[in-house]
């Protein structure tokens, strides 16, 4: 059996979780599903041998769980510092830092932003993660981030329309 089959299957499962996650309009449901997605994707990257991606995603799981309890900018900055410090131990190439940058945008979005603004920060992070996944050859990751970008844009449009409809009803 191909040695990359199991890691890629974890990546494909992340793809499925991501589809469900980014279709959520409710921020709490979104974060709960994202927590499970991050744990699964950490396993995927560990099995792929992409250590900095695994560390960033594992810290992402912890970050997502913490963001469900607090919206503190100080906590966001602590997680971003942790991303840098932890990954500095493992990074060997310039592209190892892509996961740190992508995770940092996600961290800021989850802790400091809500609604459409949160999803914009996550969109920027997704584009960076897409480049990372292309470089590390994560098939599920490429599919995940490509799909997340599309679904996130669609959800942002739905949220925007819902806000405009709400404003119209108030006037």
């Amino acid at each position: 059996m191909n040695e990359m089959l199991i890691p890629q299957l974890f990546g494909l499962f992340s793809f499925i979780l991501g589809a469900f996650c980014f279709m959520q309009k409710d921020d709490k449901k979104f974060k709960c599903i994202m927590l499970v997605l991050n744990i699964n994707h950490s396993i995927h990257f560990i099995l792929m041998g992409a250590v900095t991606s695994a560390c960033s995603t594992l810290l992402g799981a912890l970050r997502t769980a913490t963001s469900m309890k607090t919206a503190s900018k100080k906590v966001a900055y602590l997680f971003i510092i942790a991303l840098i410090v932890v990954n500095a131990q493992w990074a060997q190439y310039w592209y190892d830092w892509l996961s740190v940058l992508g995770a940092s945008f996600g961290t800021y979005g989850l802790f400091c932003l809500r609604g459409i603004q949160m999803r914009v920060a996550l969109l920027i992070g997704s584009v960076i993660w897409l480049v990372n996944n292309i470089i590390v050859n994560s098939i599920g990751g490429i599919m995940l981030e490509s799909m997340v970008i599309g679904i996130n844009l669609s959800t942002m449009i739905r949220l925007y329309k819902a806000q405009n409809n709400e404003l119209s009803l108030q006037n």
Side-chain angles (χ1 to χ4, degrees):
M1 181 160 62
N2 183 344
E3 66 186 51
M4 292 309 283
L5 179 62
I6 300 297
Q8 295 294 4
L9 287 175
F10 273 90
L12 292 174
F13 186 58
S14 290
F15 169 72
I16 293 166
L17 287 168
F20 190 58
C21 177
F22 279 87
M23 288 192 292
Q24 302 303 311
K25 286 174 143 181
D26 179 82
D27 288 352
K28 184 173 181 165
K29 287 180 186 175
F30 174 85
K31 289 178 182 183
C32 286
I33 298 165
M34 181 174 274
L35 175 62
V36 176
L37 167 62
N38 283 334
I39 292 167
N40 182 77
H41 218 49
S42 294
I43 296 167
H44 164 68
F45 283 129
I46 288 166
L47 294 172
M48 294 280 300
V51 179
T52 56
S53 297
C55 289
S56 294
T57 309
L58 196 55
L59 279 169
L62 184 58
R63 162 208 74 194
T64 300
T66 305
S67 76
M68 296 165 98
K69 303 290 183 191
T70 184
S72 167
K73 283 187 180 184
K74 290 178 183 176
V75 175
Y77 296 140
L78 286 174
F79 272 102
I80 291 169
I81 291 167
L83 281 163
I84 294 166
V85 170
V86 168
N87 283 300
Q89 309 301 311
W90 302 103
Q92 295 178 347
Y93 306 102
W94 67 269
Y95 55 82
D96 289 331
W97 291 100
L98 289 172
S99 64
V100 175
L101 187 58
S104 294
F105 272 98
T107 297
Y108 187 80
L110 288 171
F111 279 101
C112 304
L113 305 171
R114 298 286 170 261
I116 293 173
Q117 290 179 330
M118 176 182 72
R119 285 166 176 82
V120 168
L122 294 173
L123 178 67
I124 294 167
S126 289
V127 170
I128 296 166
W129 271 106
L130 176 60
V131 174
N132 177 79
N133 292 336
I134 291 168
I135 291 170
V136 301
N137 196 31
S138 168
I139 296 167
I142 293 167
M143 293 170 58
L144 170 67
E145 297 303 338
S146 297
M147 183 238 356
V148 163
I149 290 166
I151 291 174
N152 200 9
L153 285 169
S154 173
T155 303
M156 288 165 53
I157 291 167
R158 288 187 297 143
L159 288 169
Y160 179 76
K161 286 180 180 179
Q163 285 177 355
N164 281 347
N165 287 341
E166 194 175 295
L167 289 174
S168 296
L169 293 174
Q170 291 176 358
N171 292 328

